[in-house]
Amino acid sequence: MPMEKNNLLTYINERFPIPGVLLISVIVALSTASIPRPYPGSIDSSLIFLVMVAFAAILLRQRITDEFKDKHHDDVNFPTRPFQRGIIDRTNLIILGIIALLTEMAAVLLAGGIVSLIWYMPVLLYSIIMAKDFFCSQWLEKHFTLYFVLHEIIFIFYAIWLCSVFDANISVETFAWIVFFINLLISIEIGRKFTIRKDPKGRVVKDTYIAVWGRETAVIVISIQLMIAGIALSYVKSTIVFALISAFISLFIHLFSRSNIAVKTVIVIHSLLLILSGALL
């Protein structure tokens, strides 16, 4: 049945908050300014915009597929979420997912035509496998860390697609940029779910990083990702500046590790510092 505008806004606000989506999409798009290219110089701003649109669209598509994939889990543990309480139904979720997919594919094609689409196919195919929980959902539920690692692999394919769009050099520097990009995105992903969630009975739900790994381990993992990202970008740009930024931010992460909001904020600041300084240096 047709979805009321207010219901759509409620769903978006609760499950796909625009400010956060725009922020991570901008971070991804601007990170491309550091990609090693044969002819350094200004980058076509339309390409950066298309990357931003494509990334926001894949985030929405993944959000929709997760609604179906995680329905039983959410029914039990988070019954007040929009899909669970009937704010949005299956049909409208599917329509929203199709719109996201079409937007994503349009942005990919506009970014580089058929060649861009071919390089994007691994991203699309891997995201479909992710939506199926790698065809072993029950087993993966018992192996949280492996589940996490398998989901982060998609960033490898995404980074390779970005390199193809921006005509990256085939070089050690490009490999280092891919390492930078992957670890930057992983740190953001861990930060995004750096929280404790509880079910209706007040029990901790074991589906976030600090709930499963513990706060100290999660902070150590984040620090490692930050340092790898900084060192990799330092190699790309031939300056120690980025490694020093990451080391400084890692120290702050540990100092304020008891505050979930502080950890999330520091991760975002780190991402912005690297991509903005990377674009300027």
Side-chain angles (χ1 to χ4, degrees):
M1 64 179 180
M3 179 169 51
E4 294 183 7
K5 180 181 178 181
N6 288 342
N7 286 359
L8 175 60
L9 292 176
T10 298
Y11 177 79
I12 294 296
N13 287 336
E14 293 187 29
R15 301 295 284 151
F16 195 71
I18 298 300
V21 171
L22 283 178
L23 179 60
I24 187 173
S25 298
V26 167
I27 288 172
V28 168
L30 292 181
S31 71
T32 60
S34 298
I35 294 177
R37 290 171 292 133
Y39 309 104
S42 61
I43 297 177
D44 188 346
S45 59
S46 64
L47 272 183
I48 293 178
F49 175 74
L50 288 170
V51 169
M52 185 178 72
V53 171
F55 196 79
I58 193 176
L59 289 180
L60 179 56
R61 180 167 62 81
Q62 291 297 101
R63 172 73 276 149
I64 301 300
T65 56
D66 283 353
E67 296 288 2
F68 294 106
K69 177 172 67 70
D70 300 333
K71 188 176 187 304
H72 176 70
H73 174 81
D74 291 349
D75 286 347
V76 173
N77 296 294
F78 309 112
T80 60
R81 286 181 173 174
F83 190 26
Q84 279 59 45
R85 67 180 194 265
I87 291 294
I88 190 169
D89 61 19
R90 293 175 64 89
T91 300
N92 286 309
L93 277 175
I94 291 171
I95 292 171
L96 200 56
I98 292 171
I99 293 172
L101 175 61
L102 293 176
T103 302
E104 180 186 357
M105 291 299 98
V108 168
L109 279 168
L110 288 171
I114 296 299
V115 173
S116 171
L117 183 61
I118 291 172
W119 280 105
Y120 197 79
M121 280 299 102
V123 177
L124 181 61
L125 294 174
Y126 197 81
S127 69
I128 292 172
I129 297 172
M130 285 170 55
K132 295 294 183 180
D133 264 346
F134 304 93
F135 305 100
C136 55
S137 58
Q138 292 185 344
W139 185 78
L140 280 175
E141 284 178 5
K142 302 174 184 177
H143 301 82
F144 179 87
T145 301
L146 177 59
Y147 183 86
F148 159 73
V149 171
L150 288 174
H151 275 72
E152 306 319 297
I153 288 174
I154 195 170
F155 294 139
I156 298 175
F157 300 123
Y158 208 91
I160 292 172
W161 171 68
L162 289 174
C163 287
S164 74
V165 168
F166 286 89
D167 297 322
N169 296 319
I170 299 176
S171 63
V172 178
E173 287 78 10
T174 297
F175 175 78
W177 182 86
I178 291 173
V179 172
F180 152 71
F181 179 84
I182 292 166
N183 283 277
L184 189 73
L185 268 290
I186 290 176
S187 69
I188 293 172
E189 166 59 18
I190 297 176
R192 186 180 66 85
K193 295 179 72 174
F194 195 86
T195 186
I196 293 289
R197 301 194 290 214
K198 297 182 178 181
D199 67 14
K201 295 183 180 180
R203 297 171 300 195
V204 173
V205 180
K206 298 286 189 175
D207 67 350
T208 63
Y209 304 107
I210 56 176
V212 177
W213 295 341
R215 185 175 294 273
E216 289 186 8
T217 300
V219 168
I220 290 171
V221 172
I222 291 171
S223 297
I224 291 171
Q225 306 303 326
L226 299 185
M227 284 306 305
I228 293 175
I231 292 169
L233 189 57
S234 282
Y235 186 86
V236 173
K237 293 293 186 176
S238 300
T239 172
I240 199 172
V241 168
F242 306 102
L244 292 176
I245 290 174
S246 294
F248 186 70
I249 293 296
S250 294
L251 176 62
F252 265 82
I253 289 281
H254 285 276
L255 289 176
F256 298 100
S257 63
R258 307 313 301 176
S259 169
N260 295 350
I261 294 177
V263 170
K264 292 170 183 281
T265 302
V266 172
I267 289 172
V268 171
I269 291 173
H270 173 260
S271 301
L272 291 172
L273 281 174
L274 287 196
I275 62 168
L276 292 176
S277 56
L280 295 173
L281 294 179

